[in-house]
Amino acid sequence: MDGENQTVVSEFIFWGLANSKNLQLLLFLIFLMLYLLIVSGNIVILILITTDPHLHSPMYFLLANLSFIDMWLSSNTTPKMITDFLWENKTISFAGCMSQVFFSHCIVGAEMVLLVVMAYDRYVAICKPLHYFTIMNLKRCTGLVLASWTVGFIHGISYVLVVMQLPFCGPNKIDSFFCDMPLVIKLACMDSHDLNTLMNAECGVLAVTCFVVLLISYTYILITVRQSSKAGALKALSTCSAHITVVMLFFVPCIFIYVWPLSITWLDKFLAVFYSVFTPLLNPAIYTLRNKEMKNAMKRFIGKFLGAAGNS
């Protein structure tokens, strides 16, 4: 297209999740409550792990980082979605859109790698229990968490640098509630099929690699615990089942959105809502309701809080 006739897009328009005003008001109330639960639930986990000495172990250090990532995963898109339910014109600036693209892929990439790190932590704890605290010391745990954020940053910045170079010269309506990378690429004034395929393939390498490593890791762990004592096997199985549930809840929507897209608009929206809202909401519930140590830490925290209130 001739540069003189090209109009630079300064903002994008979301179609959102619904058209009915009554339905949008209902969704506003529902997602507002869900978002408040996400933030409060993950903050509670962070406070418990930080303040309770009984939870100062590698597994809970990694769990605290997972809660932190989940909180930001939801915060990247959910507040904008909630406020848009109240407005007829659902717009976002070009810079805001690029920010969503970057943080979506940065945070998702970091969480994928962190889930692999958590699987490694369970492998060491179950298969090499005598060397657990030597192998999973604070320095190594910190390094692994920083590595997950580094991978996430590279993953996110590679996407946003490519998208920012695309020519946007007119179409600016996105049939979603946030700047989803494949939908943004489709708006470029060029044949985007090959680029979209390349970007999905790049995302697929990270997602599928992490997913396969996780499946192999947990399969090996479960085979190992079958050969150990019954009591130890049951405890390990309970811990691993929570991790496996979180892995499935996170990876399945991502795979169907980016790696193996179904190109069904309502399903894409549902999966996007699921991994940006329901996964960060379910993770705290899964780890607290299925974890005896977290339950006891909650009781101790409430006891201290009530004791302090009673003394005052």
Side-chain angles (χ1 to χ4, degrees):
M1 183 174 290
D2 206 9
E4 294 181 0
N5 297 326
Q6 182 171 326
T7 302
V8 178
V9 172
S10 60
E11 65 179 20
F12 295 95
I13 300 172
F14 295 138
W15 286 7
L17 296 178
N19 295 321
S20 168
K21 289 185 178 180
N22 290 333
L23 180 56
Q24 288 190 68
L25 182 58
L26 176 62
L27 291 174
F28 167 79
L29 296 172
I30 292 173
F31 282 108
L32 177 61
M33 288 187 291
L34 291 176
Y35 180 65
L36 292 175
L37 285 172
I38 290 167
V39 174
S40 58
N42 284 293
I43 286 177
V44 165
I45 288 180
L46 287 169
I47 291 173
L48 289 177
I49 293 173
T50 303
T51 60
D52 196 314
H54 296 86
L55 301 181
H56 291 175
S57 68
M59 184 180 81
Y60 292 106
F61 174 77
L62 297 175
L63 176 57
N65 280 277
L66 180 65
S67 291
F68 180 77
I69 288 177
D70 277 336
M71 198 159 51
W72 285 107
L73 174 64
S74 184
S75 297
N76 182 46
T77 57
T78 307
K80 172 65 176 168
M81 176 183 67
I82 291 171
T83 55
D84 278 347
F85 285 131
L86 301 177
W87 304 102
E88 186 174 347
N89 295 321
K90 302 169 175 53
T91 61
I92 185 171
S93 67
F94 184 86
C97 185
M98 294 303 102
S99 175
Q100 283 194 342
V101 171
F102 169 72
F103 283 108
S104 291
H105 290 277
C106 175
I107 296 168
V108 167
E111 181 154 349
M112 286 180 182
V113 179
L114 183 62
L115 289 172
V116 173
V117 173
M118 293 177 75
Y120 174 70
D121 170 75
R122 290 301 83 207
Y123 161 76
V124 175
I126 293 167
C127 301
K128 299 182 179 181
L130 298 179
H131 305 285
Y132 176 60
F133 287 102
T134 303
I135 296 173
M136 296 302 294
N137 54 62
L138 180 60
K139 183 178 179 180
R140 178 162 294 177
C141 287
T142 304
L144 290 170
V145 170
L146 289 175
S148 69
W149 277 108
T150 301
V151 171
F153 177 81
I154 295 171
H155 183 62
I157 202 70
S158 64
Y159 274 80
V160 78
L161 287 177
V162 170
V163 175
M164 287 181 68
Q165 300 303 315
L166 297 178
F168 296 100
C169 55
N172 66 339
K173 294 181 179 178
I174 300 174
D175 191 5
S176 185
F177 61 92
F178 76 109
C179 285
D180 198 9
M181 188 270 300
L183 299 179
V184 175
I185 289 178
K186 286 181 181 178
L187 297 178
C189 300
M190 56 175 283
D191 184 2
S192 60
H193 176 75
D194 291 342
L195 177 60
N196 206 23
T197 302
L198 180 64
M199 300 299 277
N200 283 341
E202 194 271 339
C203 187
V205 169
L206 178 62
V208 173
T209 301
C210 290
F211 191 59
V212 170
V213 170
L214 285 165
L215 289 179
I216 294 172
S217 300
Y218 284 117
T219 300
Y220 184 80
I221 290 170
L222 293 175
I223 291 172
T224 302
V225 298
R226 285 188 63 185
Q227 302 169 354
S228 63
S229 65
K230 191 172 183 180
L234 288 173
K235 183 178 179 181
L237 185 62
S238 175
T239 303
C240 287
S241 62
H243 285 237
I244 293 168
T245 302
V246 168
V247 166
M248 297 304 292
L249 287 172
F250 181 76
F251 274 91
V252 171
C254 287
I255 287 173
F256 281 111
I257 290 174
Y258 298 110
V259 183
W260 189 19
L262 300 175
S263 299
I264 303 172
T265 302
W266 70 265
L267 184 58
D268 287 343
K269 289 183 181 181
F270 170 77
L271 292 173
V273 168
F274 191 89
Y275 90 78
S276 62
V277 177
F278 289 102
T279 298
L281 177 67
L282 291 172
N283 282 358
I286 291 169
Y287 280 112
T288 53
L289 295 178
R290 296 177 61 90
N291 190 304
K292 187 177 179 180
E293 291 179 351
M294 287 295 293
K295 290 180 186 176
N296 291 336
M298 177 67 77
K299 291 176 183 177
R300 287 192 292 269
F301 182 79
I302 293 173
K304 288 181 181 178
F305 181 78
L306 292 176
N311 293 332
S312 62

